[in-house]
Amino acid sequence: MESSRKVVVDDEEEQRNWLDLPRDVMCTVFQKLDAVEILTRAERVCSAWRSVSKDPLLWRTIHMPDSGDSDFQLWVLCRRAIDLSSGHLLSIYIENFATDDLLRYITLNASHLRCLRLACCYRISDEGLYEVAERLPQLEELDISLSSGITKDSLEAIGRCCPHLKSLKFNMEGYRRPHVESNEEAYAIAETMPNLCHLQLFGNKLTNEGLLAILDGCPHLESLDLRQCFNVTLVGGLGKRCAEQIKDLRLPYDPTDDYPFEAEIDYGSFDEDYPSGISDIDFMSDDDYDYYYEFSGESDFSDYEYENYYDL
């Protein structure tokens, strides 16, 4: 009997302590949830939780991954989260459902935004990013991953209008065929974003010329991710310069385990690209061989596919 009574008392004590948690502690707990979880579940638990969910300081960061709900519901929830921020929004992450209209709503109601991250948002365009550039001059971090319809023009607009931009992720789906080379985005970045410290260009079509332009135009770069940029060959003088200038460098064939999106690719066969059996490796000097081993930190090609690394 005493044991049963003790369990009941303990349960009541735990419940009372949970509800009486200081408001700042409750806000910390809520910050572990994404926006959809708060707006569809947590705020409905009780009046105390509903009150906490309306605290503008809770909405300085909005994280909205694709939850599987309809785009309309997510769009409505995102607008509500922005409204709840009451102008305090500093960082927002949206996966899959962003549109130009939603970007416009963000720029009109979050003038102090510092970080904008868009993943797999195929319905945004240059027009939407033009408004971002025009209305968010304090932007410091921009992530546009796997979003089609974006050209060098919007990158140039961002670069010209957002002088405080320190981090850019402009990621695409890497592929080898058909073989396409383009330095448009690389030149836009090099010419308009001199203060960049971190740059990720996963799957970009830039060549060595575009990379060299970035190294010249962005002297403050500390990290550079070139994974699956298959037109880049980091040997000789360019490889040496990258090693000296960039503290954290990811090479085209580096592992993609920590990349948050699908990164598998069909590399094809060596002979398809070089039916004559000749590749860049045939034109390397002995010094290039020695430098490659030193640069990659290996004594052989075990970490890279020998054929594919020079198969351009």
Side-chain angles (χ1 to χ4, degrees), residues 88-229:
H88 292 281
L89 182 61
L90 297 177
S91 175
I92 186 168
Y93 170 81
I94 300 173
E95 181 181 352
N96 190 45
F97 66 93
T99 63
D100 286 349
D101 286 339
L102 184 54
L103 288 182
R104 185 174 301 111
Y105 194 83
I106 292 172
T107 60
L108 291 173
N109 294 276
S111 59
H112 300 294
L113 195 71
R114 297 292 188 273
C115 174
L116 174 62
R117 299 173 59 206
L118 306 169
C120 306
C121 296
Y122 300 104
R123 285 167 291 179
I124 62 173
S125 67
D126 284 337
E127 286 70 22
L129 288 179
Y130 291 155
E131 294 212 24
V132 169
E134 180 182 351
R135 299 179 183 274
L136 301 177
Q138 302 302 316
L139 199 67
E140 298 177 1
E141 180 179 343
L142 177 63
D143 181 349
I144 310 173
S145 294
L146 302 181
S147 301
S148 59
I150 307 303
T151 71
K152 68 176 183 65
D153 296 330
S154 56
L155 290 179
E156 290 175 346
I158 292 288
R160 288 194 302 267
C161 298
C162 304
H164 303 286
L165 194 68
K166 297 293 191 298
S167 176
L168 173 67
K169 294 183 179 181
F170 188 64
N171 298 322
M172 306 175 185
E173 183 178 357
Y175 65 92
R176 294 186 65 86
R177 294 176 181 78
H179 181 81
V180 178
E181 297 181 356
S182 175
N183 287 310
E184 289 187 342
E185 296 94 355
Y187 291 151
I189 292 168
E191 294 169 3
T192 65
M193 302 180 185
N195 294 317
L196 276 185
C197 296
H198 309 284
L199 177 61
Q200 185 176 66
L201 293 174
F202 196 102
N204 199 273
K205 304 178 188 68
L206 83 164
T207 66
N208 285 10
E209 287 73 21
L211 174 57
L212 183 59
I214 289 174
L215 295 175
D216 289 338
C218 306
H220 304 293
L221 269 186
E222 299 176 8
S223 66
L224 177 60
D225 190 343
L226 297 172
R227 284 177 293 177
Q228 295 196 5
C229 294

Side-chain angles (χ1 to χ4, degrees), residues 289-304:
Y289 279 114
D290 294 339
Y291 175 73
Y292 177 80
Y293 298 146
E294 178 182 355
F295 178 66
S296 65
E298 300 291 339
S299 59
D300 55 32
F301 289 88
S302 59
D303 287 344
Y304 299 93

